[in-house]
Amino acid sequence: MSKKRKKLGEILVERGIITPNNLADALQHAQSQGKRIGEALIELELSSEDEVCKALASQFGLEFVDLGHTHIEQDTLALIPNNLISQYAIVPLGMEGSRMKVGITDPLDLETLDLLRFRLNCDIIPVLTAATRMRQFIEKFVDTGGDELSKTMASIDQDAPEDAEEDGFRGLSADEADSPIIKLINQMISEAVHNRASDIHVEPMGNRVRVRYRIDGVCIVRDDVPSNLRAPVTTRLKIMAGMDIAEKRVPQDGRIKMKFGSSVIDFRVSACPGYHGESIVLRILRPESAQVGLAALGFEADDYATFQKIIRRPNGIFLVTGPTGSGKTTTLYAALQELNRPDRKIITAEDPVEYNFPGMNQCQVRDDIGLTFAKILRAMLRQAPNIILVGEIRDREVGEVAIQAALTGHLVFSTLHTNDAPSSITRLIDMGIKPFLVASSIQAIMAQRLVRIICTECRTVDTNPNRQHLALLGFKESDLVGKSVYKGTGCKRCTGTGYRGRKGIFEIMTMTSHLREMAFNRAPANQIRAAARAAGMKNLLDDGKRKILAGTTTPEEMLRITQVEGVVEAVA
């Protein structure tokens, strides 16, 4: 009779890492968020990732290895191709006779272990290591395929006939084109995912096809694809996305799903006809990017406390504003996950539904069949929800229904495209929504942007910061006394940019009786802004300056964001 395997939580309690109460909290969090108990413990900061991994290793009878303190020779690393190491988040640790010792991060990922046995033609001894340590090790010591991508492009360019541009795949035989093109696309996608890109842009030009990755909000140019490979590359991407390869005259949308390590990543694909051919953009939808948690969004302590109070109100509208790509949806998802409990009913109307969350009822807008935001919202009210998310208030009809929902006892989250929080009041009134409805229903408005944060590996004090940049941001000499400004010098981990990752800067305007009166009287945005500032609101620039002095970001990054949006005018 086989011995019963202990549960992970039991092992951690026995070792004194967590208490039974901690375990109960983690179990509840894991159930509500649809996560494993280990992930919940780490997210709630009840246990370190290494301790959870050690307990997992004990649970499954595996050896634990700390990659942060393990030296691996290059000859050993060469046992597994770099692209497999990067794609499946594994690392070779050496040979024991005819068997290979391989570091993994998920003991339940049997599919990857079977694939490795097949690809490497040998038995595998799995050894467990923490996922973060694995990722850091691969970034630091493993060449993740940039050169391989360039070599693949060059080899296909040499072999491809001149008429490949016109004939697409028909101009190349299966042996000559299909495999290299598939390899090229797979390497491109793998490299983008590994480099934390949010988008891949494949753009036909006059004599080339430009490939760019958007990393931390900035487009980085990759090697160009030769123009005679435009059609094969476009066709391959459209086949993967389930599009009609014969239709090149109208825009098309599709989706790709691929497995990387233990994660399954979705790609939302858009093809748009252009002068030189179809431009294709792959939006990379990582599950973890929408599950960052409120604490990781970048709130300062006072703003975090205010945000927590706002999202726990029983009714009213909470608006998040900002341009496309400023993280509005991620912020609202984080708020919903915080509120997602079995005793609450949450319904969302989204266009499109990018991430699925257990415990929430998510509805996809489909304008082609008349399923609009307004129609979904009206149907929602008959479902007796506690909390409603409307992807975007686009017109008066949606705005009025959302306000009606707020006034009848529902908590409504939504987004709006404005430059700052005070402008949202005038924007809603300009849509045609009656001022008294706006004044009575809105609880708070938050504007946000995303700024790149300094890489922690190469962060250093900037001994000679640009004084003109600091002056443009409104810094006085007295503000800098005893304070340091930081910068990133550039390293392999941040690919030489000095930045790695992004966090938000925020402007939270909580509605007061005076601001409601101003909204009712149709006061202009500049007067509402002045009144909100007088009531204690910190604007985007103020929050950005706090993050500069905290060493989170740089003056140059703040200027890049604020100058584009015109926020610097506030300090002129």
Side-chain angles (χ1 to χ4, degrees):
M1 185 175 176
S2 62
K3 186 179 178 182
K4 186 178 179 181
R5 180 184 292 162
K6 283 188 178 180
K7 294 182 179 179
L8 178 66
E10 293 175 357
I11 296 172
L12 289 168
V13 170
E14 286 179 3
R15 294 182 177 183
I17 306 299
I18 61 173
T19 66
N21 288 337
N22 292 153
L23 178 58
D25 292 341
L27 284 169
Q28 183 180 1
H29 183 76
Q31 185 177 7
S32 65
Q33 301 293 323
K35 296 182 177 179
R36 296 180 184 177
I37 182 65
E39 294 171 329
L41 287 165
I42 296 167
E43 189 170 294
L44 294 174
E45 298 182 353
L46 298 173
S47 174
S48 69
E49 187 180 10
D50 281 346
E51 291 294 348
V52 169
C53 198
K54 288 175 184 177
L56 270 175
S58 174
Q59 183 186 25
F60 287 90
L62 301 177
E63 179 187 347
F64 171 79
V65 170
D66 183 356
L67 283 181
H69 298 89
T70 302
H71 176 72
I72 303 176
E73 298 289 345
Q74 284 297 322
D75 290 347
T76 303
L77 279 177
L79 291 172
I80 298 179
N82 288 350
N83 63 320
L84 289 184
I85 293 176
S86 173
Q87 184 173 354
Y88 294 102
I90 55 174
V91 63
L93 298 171
M95 297 295 295
E96 290 191 1
S98 61
R99 300 190 299 169
M100 185 185 299
K101 207 172 186 180
V102 177
I104 62 172
T105 60
D106 184 359
L108 295 174
D109 189 8
L110 303 179
E111 185 179 340
T112 295
L113 292 176
D114 287 341
L115 180 140
L116 286 175
R117 291 187 186 98
F118 175 76
R119 292 286 295 270
L120 303 176
N121 195 28
C122 68
D123 286 333
I124 302 297
I125 304 174
V127 175
L128 206 59
T129 188
T132 301
R133 301 278 192 194
M134 175 72 78
R135 188 165 58 250
Q136 291 172 348
F137 180 89
I138 292 173
E139 289 169 355
K140 192 170 184 180
F141 296 108
V142 180
D143 182 357
T144 55
D147 290 338
E148 290 299 318
L149 182 62
S150 302
K151 290 175 184 175
T152 303
M153 288 184 182
S155 65
I156 300 175
D157 186 28
Q158 291 173 358
D159 297 338
E162 293 298 323
D163 61 351
E165 165 67 19
E166 286 73 25
D167 294 338
F169 278 118
R170 292 174 297 171
L172 303 171
S173 70
D175 290 338
E176 292 172 334
D178 285 2
S179 294
I181 289 293
I182 291 171
K183 183 180 178 183
L184 171 67
I185 298 299
N186 289 343
Q187 285 179 345
M188 183 192 302
I189 292 174
S190 179
E191 182 183 76
V193 169
H194 178 81
N195 288 336
R196 303 173 301 103
S198 59
D199 308 276
I200 304 172
H201 299 258
V202 181
E203 305 161 316
M205 301 292 170
N207 57 354
R208 61 195 170 96
V209 178
R210 184 172 65 180
V211 176
R212 296 191 292 174
Y213 304 150
R214 189 184 297 277
I215 301 173
D216 293 333
V218 178
C219 282
I220 308 295
V221 178
R222 192 59 180 91
D223 286 355
D224 293 334
V225 176
S227 60
N228 59 337
L229 297 178
R230 177 185 62 80
V233 167
T234 300
T235 302
R236 174 60 188 166
L237 287 170
K238 290 173 74 173
I239 288 172
M240 293 174 70
M243 298 179 184
D244 182 359
I245 62 173
E247 181 57 77
K248 303 177 182 179
R249 301 164 299 171
V250 296
Q252 295 188 67
D253 293 310
R255 289 186 91 109
I256 299 171
K257 184 174 286 190
M258 296 180 71
K259 185 173 182 181
F260 290 87
S262 58
S263 299
V264 176
I265 297 179
D266 278 340
F267 300 82
R268 198 175 76 208
V269 187
S270 171
C272 183
Y275 184 76
H276 293 292
E278 289 176 286
S279 171
I280 296 183
V281 176
L282 287 77
R283 179 81 183 273
I284 303 173
L285 306 175
R286 291 178 175 83
E288 66 272 13
S289 66
Q291 299 177 3
V292 294
L294 287 179
L297 293 177
F299 285 109
E300 300 297 324
D302 55 346
D303 284 342
Y304 183 74
T306 302
F307 188 86
Q308 287 280 5
K309 289 178 183 176
I310 292 168
I311 66 173
R312 280 169 170 76
R313 293 186 178 181
N315 56 51
I317 294 181
F318 176 47
L319 288 176
V320 180
T321 77
T324 301
S326 59
K328 301 185 297 296
T329 303
T330 300
T331 297
L332 290 180
Y333 277 152
L336 289 181
Q337 288 179 86
E338 186 88 358
L339 300 172
N340 189 13
R341 296 290 182 270
D343 61 334
R344 297 190 181 107
K345 184 176 179 69
I346 300 175
I347 306 181
T348 74
E350 304 172 61
D351 183 21
V353 175
E354 294 185 347
Y355 303 100
N356 294 313
F357 295 95
M360 298 185 200
N361 300 274
Q362 296 174 269
C363 191
Q364 167 80 50
V365 171
R366 291 188 59 187
D367 289 323
D368 56 328
I369 61 171
L371 191 61
T372 61
F373 273 120
K375 184 170 283 188
I376 294 173
L377 196 47
R378 287 192 179 92
M380 282 180 181
L381 299 180
R382 296 192 289 273
Q383 296 274 312
N386 300 104
I387 301 167
I388 293 171
L389 167 67
V390 183
E392 182 185 348
I393 294 180
R394 295 178 177 175
D395 52 39
R396 185 182 71 179
E397 184 181 16
V398 176
E400 287 179 343
V401 180
I403 285 173
Q404 192 62 41
L407 293 175
T408 53
H410 303 87
L411 180 60
V412 180
F413 294 124
S414 191
T415 68
L416 198 65
H417 287 287
T418 60
N419 282 333
D420 60 5
S423 300
S424 301
I425 299 290
T426 54
R427 174 69 187 277
L428 290 171
I429 294 173
D430 289 343
M431 280 184 183
I433 300 172
K434 293 179 175 60
F436 77 90
L437 291 175
V438 175
S440 58
S441 62
I442 292 179
Q443 297 291 343
I445 303 170
M446 184 176 80
Q448 72 175 70
R449 301 289 187 278
L450 291 177
V451 295
R452 291 183 294 173
I453 58 178
I454 301 171
C455 173
T456 55
E457 292 289 322
C458 61
R459 192 182 79 153
T460 184
V461 174
D462 189 349
T463 55
N464 186 29
N466 190 307
R467 296 291 167 179
Q468 184 181 5
H469 291 173
L470 293 172
L472 280 171
L473 291 170
F475 281 106
K476 300 174 184 176
E477 289 297 329
S478 58
D479 297 332
L480 301 171
V481 175
K483 303 287 180 64
S484 296
V485 176
Y486 291 83
K487 66 178 181 179
T489 56
C491 63
K492 182 178 179 181
R493 185 168 182 263
C494 61
T495 61
T497 63
Y499 300 97
R500 183 178 172 84
R502 291 189 291 175
K503 284 191 175 179
I505 56 173
F506 304 96
E507 170 183 289
I508 303 178
M509 185 179 80
T510 303
M511 294 296 284
T512 63
S513 56
H514 181 47
L515 290 174
R516 294 186 194 282
E517 185 179 347
M518 295 183 75
F520 180 78
N521 293 322
R522 296 176 181 264
N526 61 335
Q527 292 182 16
I528 296 174
R529 186 180 301 111
R533 294 276 283 163
M537 181 188 80
K538 295 181 178 65
N539 65 17
L540 292 166
L541 196 56
D542 294 333
D543 196 35
K545 288 163 69 176
R546 289 195 291 180
K547 286 180 169 59
I548 289 172
L549 295 179
T552 303
T553 190
T554 64
E556 290 71 25
E557 177 65 9
M558 273 301 301
L559 282 172
R560 183 181 73 85
I561 297 298
T562 55
Q563 282 185 330
V564 169
E565 303 303 332
V567 180
V568 171
E569 293 173 4
V571 297

